[in-house]
Short mmCIF file of all heavy atoms in Angstrom, two decimals:
data_model
loop_
_atom_site.label_atom_id
_atom_site.label_comp_id
_atom_site.label_asym_id
_atom_site.label_seq_id
_atom_site.Cartn_x
_atom_site.Cartn_y
_atom_site.Cartn_z
N GLY A 197 45.85 23.10 13.45
CA GLY A 197 45.80 22.30 14.66
C GLY A 197 44.45 21.63 14.79
O GLY A 197 43.45 22.12 14.30
N GLY A 198 44.44 20.49 15.44
CA GLY A 198 43.17 19.82 15.66
C GLY A 198 42.46 20.44 16.83
O GLY A 198 42.95 20.43 17.94
N GLU A 199 41.33 21.02 16.55
CA GLU A 199 40.57 21.55 17.66
C GLU A 199 39.90 20.43 18.44
O GLU A 199 39.70 20.50 19.62
CB GLU A 199 39.48 22.52 17.15
CG GLU A 199 39.98 23.95 16.99
CD GLU A 199 40.35 24.27 15.57
OE1 GLU A 199 39.43 24.37 14.73
OE2 GLU A 199 41.55 24.39 15.26
N GLN A 200 39.58 19.44 17.67
CA GLN A 200 38.84 18.32 18.23
C GLN A 200 39.83 17.41 18.88
O GLN A 200 40.43 16.58 18.21
CB GLN A 200 38.31 17.53 17.05
CG GLN A 200 36.84 17.48 16.91
CD GLN A 200 36.57 16.51 15.78
OE1 GLN A 200 37.17 16.60 14.75
NE2 GLN A 200 35.64 15.62 16.01
N LEU A 201 40.05 17.56 20.12
CA LEU A 201 41.13 16.77 20.67
C LEU A 201 40.64 15.48 21.31
O LEU A 201 41.41 14.66 21.74
CB LEU A 201 41.92 17.60 21.66
CG LEU A 201 42.65 18.71 20.94
CD1 LEU A 201 43.29 19.65 21.93
CD2 LEU A 201 43.67 18.15 19.99
N GLN A 202 39.39 15.37 21.35
CA GLN A 202 38.88 14.14 21.92
C GLN A 202 38.29 13.29 20.81
O GLN A 202 37.69 13.79 19.88
CB GLN A 202 37.80 14.43 22.95
CG GLN A 202 38.44 14.84 24.24
CD GLN A 202 37.47 15.54 25.14
OE1 GLN A 202 36.62 16.28 24.67
NE2 GLN A 202 37.60 15.29 26.41
N GLY A 203 38.49 12.04 20.93
CA GLY A 203 37.90 11.17 19.90
C GLY A 203 38.13 9.74 20.23
O GLY A 203 38.88 9.40 21.15
N GLN A 204 37.53 8.99 19.48
CA GLN A 204 37.58 7.55 19.69
C GLN A 204 39.00 7.04 19.59
O GLN A 204 39.41 6.11 20.25
CB GLN A 204 36.74 6.93 18.60
CG GLN A 204 36.31 5.55 18.89
CD GLN A 204 35.73 4.93 17.65
OE1 GLN A 204 36.42 4.55 16.76
NE2 GLN A 204 34.43 4.83 17.59
N TYR A 205 39.76 7.69 18.69
CA TYR A 205 41.09 7.17 18.41
C TYR A 205 42.10 7.48 19.48
O TYR A 205 43.07 6.77 19.64
CB TYR A 205 41.60 7.73 17.09
CG TYR A 205 40.71 7.30 15.96
CD1 TYR A 205 39.70 8.11 15.49
CD2 TYR A 205 40.88 6.02 15.43
CE1 TYR A 205 38.88 7.68 14.49
CE2 TYR A 205 40.05 5.59 14.41
CZ TYR A 205 39.05 6.43 13.94
OH TYR A 205 38.26 5.99 12.96
N ALA A 206 41.82 8.55 20.16
CA ALA A 206 42.82 9.01 21.10
C ALA A 206 43.21 7.91 22.08
O ALA A 206 44.38 7.60 22.26
CB ALA A 206 42.31 10.22 21.84
N GLY A 207 42.22 7.35 22.68
CA GLY A 207 42.47 6.34 23.69
C GLY A 207 43.23 5.16 23.12
O GLY A 207 44.18 4.65 23.71
N ARG A 208 42.80 4.79 21.96
CA ARG A 208 43.42 3.61 21.39
C ARG A 208 44.88 3.84 21.05
O ARG A 208 45.72 3.01 21.30
CB ARG A 208 42.68 3.21 20.13
CG ARG A 208 41.87 1.97 20.34
CD ARG A 208 41.54 1.36 19.02
NE ARG A 208 40.73 2.26 18.24
CZ ARG A 208 40.87 2.38 16.96
NH1 ARG A 208 41.82 1.69 16.34
NH2 ARG A 208 40.11 3.18 16.27
N GLN A 209 45.11 5.02 20.45
CA GLN A 209 46.48 5.25 20.01
C GLN A 209 47.42 5.38 21.18
O GLN A 209 48.60 5.08 21.06
CB GLN A 209 46.55 6.52 19.14
CG GLN A 209 45.79 6.39 17.84
CD GLN A 209 46.37 5.31 16.94
OE1 GLN A 209 47.51 4.93 17.08
NE2 GLN A 209 45.57 4.79 16.02
N ARG A 210 46.89 5.84 22.28
CA ARG A 210 47.79 6.01 23.42
C ARG A 210 48.13 4.69 24.05
O ARG A 210 49.14 4.55 24.70
CB ARG A 210 47.15 6.92 24.47
CG ARG A 210 47.30 8.36 24.10
CD ARG A 210 46.94 9.20 25.27
NE ARG A 210 47.98 9.18 26.29
CZ ARG A 210 47.99 10.01 27.32
NH1 ARG A 210 47.03 10.88 27.47
NH2 ARG A 210 48.96 9.96 28.20
N GLY A 211 47.24 3.79 23.94
CA GLY A 211 47.41 2.51 24.62
C GLY A 211 48.70 1.84 24.22
O GLY A 211 49.10 1.84 23.07
N SER A 212 49.36 1.33 25.22
CA SER A 212 50.49 0.48 24.89
C SER A 212 50.54 -0.57 25.97
O SER A 212 49.76 -0.55 26.91
CB SER A 212 51.78 1.29 24.86
OG SER A 212 52.14 1.59 26.18
N ASP A 213 51.44 -1.47 25.83
CA ASP A 213 51.45 -2.62 26.73
C ASP A 213 51.58 -2.22 28.19
O ASP A 213 51.13 -2.94 29.08
CB ASP A 213 52.58 -3.57 26.36
CG ASP A 213 52.30 -4.20 25.00
OD1 ASP A 213 51.28 -3.80 24.37
OD2 ASP A 213 53.06 -5.05 24.59
N ASP A 214 52.17 -1.03 28.44
CA ASP A 214 52.38 -0.59 29.83
C ASP A 214 51.07 -0.44 30.56
O ASP A 214 51.01 -0.55 31.78
CB ASP A 214 53.09 0.75 29.84
CG ASP A 214 54.39 0.66 29.10
OD1 ASP A 214 54.88 -0.48 28.92
OD2 ASP A 214 54.91 1.71 28.71
N PHE A 215 50.03 -0.15 29.81
CA PHE A 215 48.77 0.15 30.48
C PHE A 215 48.01 -1.08 30.90
O PHE A 215 47.04 -0.99 31.58
CB PHE A 215 47.90 1.00 29.56
CG PHE A 215 48.47 2.36 29.35
CD1 PHE A 215 49.08 2.70 28.18
CD2 PHE A 215 48.40 3.30 30.38
CE1 PHE A 215 49.61 3.95 27.99
CE2 PHE A 215 48.93 4.57 30.20
CZ PHE A 215 49.53 4.89 29.00
N GLN A 216 48.45 -2.17 30.48
CA GLN A 216 47.67 -3.36 30.77
C GLN A 216 47.52 -3.55 32.26
O GLN A 216 48.51 -3.60 32.99
CB GLN A 216 48.34 -4.58 30.14
CG GLN A 216 48.02 -4.65 28.67
CD GLN A 216 48.53 -5.92 28.05
OE1 GLN A 216 49.02 -6.77 28.75
NE2 GLN A 216 48.37 -6.01 26.75
#
Side-chain angles (χ1 to χ4, degrees):
Chain A
E199 273 99 70
Q200 244 187 312
L201 292 173
Q202 280 163 324
Q204 199 191 76
Y205 298 96
R208 252 199 297 143
Q209 295 296 340
R210 279 193 75 169
S212 73
D213 293 5
D214 303 341
F215 292 105
Q216 281 187 5

